[in-house]
Amino acid sequence: GTTRAELEGSVAAMGRRGVQGFSAQRRRRETLLREHLVRLRCPEESMNRAFEWAKVRLDGFFVDTPGIGRSLVAGHAASRPGRGDGRPGYAWYFGRDMCWTAMALLAAGDAAGCRLVLRFLGATQDVTGKVIHEVTTSGLAHYDAADATPLYLLLAGRYAAWTGDLAFLAERWSELERAYRFCLTTDRDGD
Protein backbone atom coordinates (compact mmCIF):
# COMPACT_ATOMS: atom_id res chain seq x y z
CA GLY A 1 0.00 0.00 0.00
CA THR A 2 0.92 3.64 -0.19
CA THR A 3 -0.36 4.71 3.22
CA ARG A 4 -0.01 3.53 6.79
CA ALA A 5 -3.73 2.62 6.81
CA GLU A 6 -3.30 0.39 3.73
CA LEU A 7 -0.32 -1.32 5.34
CA GLU A 8 -2.24 -1.91 8.56
CA GLY A 9 -5.20 -3.25 6.54
CA SER A 10 -2.94 -5.71 4.73
CA VAL A 11 -1.34 -6.89 7.97
CA ALA A 12 -4.79 -7.30 9.53
CA ALA A 13 -6.01 -9.32 6.52
CA MET A 14 -2.99 -11.60 6.79
CA GLY A 15 -3.73 -12.06 10.49
CA ARG A 16 -7.39 -12.92 9.78
CA ARG A 17 -6.84 -15.17 6.81
CA GLY A 18 -3.34 -16.48 7.30
CA VAL A 19 -1.32 -18.29 4.67
CA GLN A 20 -3.95 -21.03 4.41
CA GLY A 21 -6.66 -18.46 3.68
CA PHE A 22 -4.63 -16.83 0.92
CA SER A 23 -3.74 -20.25 -0.47
CA ALA A 24 -7.43 -21.19 -0.57
CA GLN A 25 -8.20 -17.91 -2.34
CA ARG A 26 -5.55 -18.72 -4.97
CA ARG A 27 -6.98 -22.22 -5.47
CA ARG A 28 -10.42 -20.71 -6.06
CA ARG A 29 -8.90 -18.34 -8.62
CA GLU A 30 -7.18 -21.24 -10.39
CA THR A 31 -10.47 -23.14 -10.55
CA LEU A 32 -12.16 -20.08 -12.04
CA LEU A 33 -9.45 -19.81 -14.71
CA ARG A 34 -9.74 -23.49 -15.61
CA GLU A 35 -13.52 -23.30 -15.88
CA HIS A 36 -13.96 -19.97 -17.68
CA LEU A 37 -11.04 -19.67 -20.08
CA VAL A 38 -10.35 -21.71 -23.21
CA ARG A 39 -9.80 -25.41 -22.69
CA LEU A 40 -7.58 -27.62 -24.78
CA ARG A 41 -8.46 -31.25 -25.26
CA CYS A 42 -6.16 -33.35 -27.39
CA PRO A 43 -4.98 -36.97 -27.31
CA GLU A 44 -1.68 -35.94 -25.72
CA GLU A 45 -2.63 -35.53 -22.05
CA SER A 46 0.63 -33.79 -21.18
CA MET A 47 -0.30 -31.04 -23.66
CA ASN A 48 -3.67 -30.57 -21.96
CA ARG A 49 -1.96 -30.27 -18.55
CA ALA A 50 0.65 -27.85 -19.90
CA PHE A 51 -2.06 -25.60 -21.34
CA GLU A 52 -3.89 -25.50 -18.00
CA TRP A 53 -0.60 -24.79 -16.20
CA ALA A 54 0.16 -21.92 -18.62
CA LYS A 55 -3.23 -20.26 -18.00
CA VAL A 56 -2.65 -20.23 -14.26
CA ARG A 57 0.98 -19.05 -14.57
CA LEU A 58 0.03 -16.21 -16.94
CA ASP A 59 -2.54 -14.98 -14.43
CA GLY A 60 0.08 -15.02 -11.69
CA PHE A 61 2.07 -12.26 -13.41
CA PHE A 62 -0.59 -9.60 -12.91
CA VAL A 63 0.54 -7.11 -10.30
CA ASP A 64 -1.23 -4.09 -8.86
CA THR A 65 1.15 -1.33 -7.80
CA PRO A 66 -0.51 1.51 -5.87
CA GLY A 67 -0.16 4.79 -7.75
CA ILE A 68 1.08 3.08 -10.93
CA GLY A 69 -1.56 0.60 -12.07
CA ARG A 70 -2.34 -3.05 -12.69
CA SER A 71 -0.83 -5.12 -15.47
CA LEU A 72 1.65 -7.88 -16.23
CA VAL A 73 5.16 -7.81 -14.88
CA ALA A 74 8.03 -9.54 -16.65
CA GLY A 75 9.02 -11.85 -13.83
CA HIS A 76 9.99 -12.29 -10.24
CA ALA A 77 13.69 -13.09 -10.54
CA ALA A 78 16.45 -11.64 -8.38
CA SER A 79 18.87 -9.28 -10.08
CA ARG A 80 21.97 -10.79 -11.63
CA PRO A 81 25.53 -9.59 -11.20
CA GLY A 82 26.75 -7.22 -13.88
CA ARG A 83 24.59 -4.62 -15.61
CA GLY A 84 21.58 -5.43 -13.43
CA ASP A 85 23.57 -5.46 -10.21
CA GLY A 86 21.77 -3.64 -7.43
CA ARG A 87 18.40 -3.68 -9.15
CA PRO A 88 15.46 -5.17 -7.26
CA GLY A 89 15.06 -7.86 -9.91
CA TYR A 90 12.97 -7.63 -13.02
CA ALA A 91 9.46 -7.79 -11.58
CA TRP A 92 8.69 -4.60 -13.51
CA TYR A 93 6.24 -3.60 -16.19
CA PHE A 94 7.82 -4.12 -19.62
CA GLY A 95 5.84 -2.87 -22.62
CA ARG A 96 7.05 -5.39 -25.20
CA ASP A 97 6.70 -8.34 -22.86
CA MET A 98 3.19 -7.24 -21.95
CA CYS A 99 2.17 -7.10 -25.61
CA TRP A 100 3.45 -10.57 -26.47
CA THR A 101 2.03 -12.07 -23.30
CA ALA A 102 -1.35 -10.39 -23.81
CA MET A 103 -1.56 -12.07 -27.21
CA ALA A 104 -1.16 -15.39 -25.38
CA LEU A 105 -3.89 -14.28 -22.98
CA LEU A 106 -6.20 -13.75 -25.96
CA ALA A 107 -5.46 -17.25 -27.20
CA ALA A 108 -6.33 -18.58 -23.73
CA GLY A 109 -9.62 -16.68 -23.78
CA ASP A 110 -8.60 -14.01 -21.27
CA ALA A 111 -9.85 -10.84 -22.95
CA ALA A 112 -10.14 -9.11 -19.56
CA GLY A 113 -6.41 -9.57 -18.96
CA CYS A 114 -5.66 -8.17 -22.40
CA ARG A 115 -7.83 -5.13 -21.63
CA LEU A 116 -5.79 -4.51 -18.46
CA VAL A 117 -2.60 -4.51 -20.54
CA LEU A 118 -4.02 -2.19 -23.21
CA ARG A 119 -5.33 0.17 -20.53
CA PHE A 120 -1.97 0.23 -18.69
CA LEU A 121 0.09 0.81 -21.83
CA GLY A 122 -2.18 3.62 -22.97
CA ALA A 123 -2.15 5.25 -19.56
CA THR A 124 1.66 5.14 -19.26
CA GLN A 125 2.61 6.28 -22.78
CA ASP A 126 4.55 9.53 -23.03
CA VAL A 127 3.16 12.77 -24.47
CA THR A 128 4.35 11.85 -27.98
CA GLY A 129 2.43 8.57 -27.88
CA LYS A 130 5.47 6.35 -27.43
CA VAL A 131 4.77 3.25 -25.35
CA ILE A 132 6.93 2.32 -22.38
CA HIS A 133 9.93 0.09 -22.54
CA GLU A 134 9.67 -0.35 -18.78
CA VAL A 135 8.05 1.10 -15.68
CA THR A 136 9.53 0.15 -12.33
CA THR A 137 7.32 -0.57 -9.36
CA SER A 138 8.53 2.73 -7.93
CA GLY A 139 7.18 4.57 -10.98
CA LEU A 140 10.32 5.30 -13.02
CA ALA A 141 9.49 4.99 -16.73
CA HIS A 142 11.78 4.49 -19.73
CA TYR A 143 10.68 4.84 -23.35
CA ASP A 144 13.70 3.45 -25.18
CA ALA A 145 12.21 0.40 -26.94
CA ALA A 146 11.78 0.90 -30.67
CA ASP A 147 9.21 -1.86 -31.04
CA ALA A 148 6.97 -1.32 -28.00
CA THR A 149 4.69 1.21 -29.72
CA PRO A 150 4.00 -0.81 -32.88
CA LEU A 151 3.49 -3.92 -30.72
CA TYR A 152 0.88 -1.99 -28.72
CA LEU A 153 -0.96 -1.19 -31.95
CA LEU A 154 -0.64 -4.80 -33.10
CA LEU A 155 -2.09 -5.95 -29.78
CA ALA A 156 -5.05 -3.58 -30.16
CA GLY A 157 -5.67 -5.01 -33.64
CA ARG A 158 -5.47 -8.58 -32.36
CA TYR A 159 -7.80 -7.69 -29.50
CA ALA A 160 -10.34 -6.35 -32.01
CA ALA A 161 -10.03 -9.44 -34.21
CA TRP A 162 -10.31 -11.93 -31.33
CA THR A 163 -13.06 -10.23 -29.35
CA GLY A 164 -14.94 -7.86 -31.67
CA ASP A 165 -15.01 -5.46 -28.69
CA LEU A 166 -14.69 -2.19 -30.58
CA ALA A 167 -16.42 -0.26 -27.78
CA PHE A 168 -13.42 -0.79 -25.48
CA LEU A 169 -11.01 0.34 -28.19
CA ALA A 170 -13.18 3.40 -28.86
CA GLU A 171 -12.72 4.36 -25.19
CA ARG A 172 -8.94 4.12 -25.69
CA TRP A 173 -8.96 5.73 -29.13
CA SER A 174 -7.00 8.89 -28.22
CA GLU A 175 -4.17 6.72 -26.81
CA LEU A 176 -4.16 4.45 -29.85
CA GLU A 177 -4.18 7.41 -32.20
CA ARG A 178 -1.25 9.05 -30.35
CA ALA A 179 0.70 5.79 -30.68
CA TYR A 180 -0.09 5.60 -34.39
CA ARG A 181 0.95 9.20 -34.95
CA PHE A 182 4.21 8.53 -33.11
CA CYS A 183 4.89 5.57 -35.41
CA LEU A 184 4.34 7.79 -38.43
CA THR A 185 7.08 10.15 -37.19
CA THR A 186 9.56 7.26 -37.30
CA ASP A 187 8.90 6.43 -40.97
CA ARG A 188 12.01 7.98 -42.52
CA ASP A 189 11.46 6.78 -46.09
CA GLY A 190 7.70 7.31 -46.38
CA ASP A 191 6.86 3.68 -47.10
Side-chain angles (χ1 to χ4, degrees), residues 17-31:
R17 297 163 89 188
V19 172
Q20 289 179 338
F22 284 109
S23 178
Q25 178 183 2
R26 185 66 196 162
R27 280 192 306 275
R28 287 190 301 274
R29 175 70 180 165
E30 290 172 7
T31 299

Side-chain angles (χ1 to χ4, degrees), residues 151-167:
L151 281 171
Y152 167 66
L153 295 171
L154 176 64
L155 177 60
R158 296 273 172 90
Y159 177 81
W162 280 76
T163 68
D165 182 6
L166 301 181

Side-chain angles (χ1 to χ4, degrees), residues 27-44:
R27 280 192 306 275
R28 287 190 301 274
R29 175 70 180 165
E30 290 172 7
T31 299
L32 183 76
L33 292 169
R34 280 193 296 278
E35 292 175 356
H36 294 287
L37 297 183
V38 170
R39 289 185 180 187
L40 176 68
R41 295 293 171 249
C42 70
E44 184 60 48

Side-chain angles (χ1 to χ4, degrees), residues 2 32 41 60 96 101 106 109-110 136 151 183:
T2 58
L32 183 76
R41 295 293 171 249
R96 297 180 293 196
T101 306
L106 285 172
D110 190 355
T136 68
L151 281 171
C183 286

